[in-house]
Amino acid sequence: EVQLVESGGGLVQPGGSLRLSCAASGFTFRSYWMFWVRQTPGKGLEWVAGIQYDGSARYYVDSVKGRFTVSRDNAENSLYLQMNSLRAEDTAVYYCVTHDRSRSVDYWGQGTLVTVSS
Amino acid sequence: DVLMTQSPLSLPVTLGQPASISCRSSQSLVHSDGNTYLHWFRQRPGQSPRRLIYKVSNRDSGVPDRFSGSGSGTDFTLKISRVEAEDVGIYYCMQSTHWPFTFGGGTKVEIK
C-alpha cells in the first residue's frame, strides 16, 4: 500500500522557520519526481516546489524562492521542505505529492497544517 | 503562470444524469514533447485531492469508466456520464506542462 505521511507542521511566528518531512512507502520512491503542494481556502491549490529523482533539479514557485528549500533522501524514502522567513500568506495545508504526468501514478499525503501567526 | 479557468463554479446534478465541466488555459498546454499534460482531480470534503484523469483522456487506476476527458490546446472537458452519489466533491483541472504547475479554481458538484 502506498503511503505518504507528512509531519512537522504547526504554529510559527512570522519570520520563523519550519521543516516539513514526508515519509514514503509502498512504491519506488527514488524513481519519481516529488512535490510539495499547499492549499488555502482563499488561494486554492498551489504547487510550491518540486525535486527530480536524484535531487539534481529543483523548482519553486516565485513566492517561495529564496525562502524554501526542497530536498530528499532516497536512502530513507523521505522528502523535506525547509521553510524560512515564513509569512502569514504561507499559512496552508501542505501536501507531499508524487505526480507522474505520463503514467497512472499520483499519490498524495494527508497534509500537514502550517499556521504563521503572532 | 498559466491561468486555468473552470466553469461552472457550482454544478447541481440529478442522480443518474450526465455532468460536464469545462476548463480553459491561458496558453497552450502542448508540451515540446508533443504531449498535453492536462489532468483532472476530485477532492471530497476532508480528503486530499485524487487524480481521476491524466494527459487529457486517460483514466487513472480504479477510476470508473463513467468519467471521461477530452479536449486539446487550451480547451478541455470532463464528463460524467451518469452521476452517482459518491461523485460529489470539488473537481479541479490542473496542468503540468509549464512550471509552475497550476490548478483551476474548482467546480463543486452536488446532488440536487
Side-chain angles (χ1 to χ4, degrees):
Chain A
E1 179 195 6
V2 170
Q3 280 199 307
L4 294 171
V5 180
E6 303 97 337
S7 60
L11 175 63
V12 61
Q13 292 188 338
S17 298
L18 273 180
R19 189 191 194 211
L20 305 184
S21 299
C22 171
S25 60
F27 66 104
T28 310
F29 179 77
R30 65 180 181 275
S31 296
Y32 294 97
W33 279 77
M34 293 296 298
F35 300 88
W36 289 98
V37 177
R38 64 187 179 187
Q39 185 172 28
T40 63
K43 286 196 68 178
L45 288 156
E46 181 181 42
W47 294 79
V48 174
I51 184 168
Q52 199 171 6
Y53 330 103
D54 59 359
S56 59
R58 308 178 197 209
Y59 293 94
Y60 301 94
V61 69
D62 282 351
S63 59
V64 308
K65 278 180 185 174
R67 302 187 299 122
F68 289 13
T69 302
V70 61
S71 61
R72 65 191 296 163
D73 183 339
N74 287 342
E76 296 292 327
N77 289 343
S78 294
L79 177 72
Y80 305 100
L81 185 67
Q82 178 66 44
M83 304 187 295
N84 299 330
S85 303
L86 283 161
R87 307 167 180 166
E89 54 264 36
D90 295 318
T91 295
V93 173
Y94 285 74
Y95 294 101
C96 169
V97 177
T98 308
H99 171 73
D100 188 314
R101 60 187 183 182
S102 291
R103 293 177 288 180
S104 185
V105 172
D106 193 89
Y107 312 134
W108 291 62
Q110 84 287 349
T112 187
L113 177 62
V114 172
T115 303
V116 184
S117 174
S118 54
Chain B
D1 297 1
V2 178
L3 180 63
M4 305 294 288
T5 303
Q6 290 182 232
S7 62
L9 260 58
S10 177
L11 183 57
V13 188
T14 302
L15 287 173
Q17 293 300 302
S20 179
I21 301 170
S22 173
C23 175
R24 181 165 292 177
S25 58
S26 61
Q27 58 185 275
S28 174
L29 299 186
V30 180
H31 193 275
S32 56
D33 65 10
N35 290 302
T36 300
Y37 297 112
L38 184 283
H39 321 285
W40 291 95
F41 289 76
R42 177 185 63 210
Q43 187 174 29
R44 292 173 171 151
Q47 295 186 11
S48 305
R50 176 199 175 185
R51 196 175 69 183
L52 304 174
I53 301 284
Y54 66 99
K55 282 201 312 180
V56 181
S57 59
N58 298 275
R59 278 188 299 277
D60 272 287
S61 179
V63 175
D65 61 7
R66 63 178 181 274
F67 290 91
S68 64
S70 62
S72 63
T74 61
D75 286 288
F76 304 92
T77 302
L78 175 71
K79 291 183 178 177
I80 310 173
S81 59
R82 295 172 304 279
V83 171
E84 298 188 6
E86 65 181 18
D87 298 337
V88 299
I90 301 177
Y91 288 74
Y92 299 94
C93 60
M94 173 252 166
Q95 66 83 20
S96 56
T97 296
H98 308 282
W99 182 264
F101 304 161
T102 46
F103 282 95
T107 295
K108 188 173 184 179
V109 172
E110 54 189 8
I111 305 300
K112 280 184 186 175

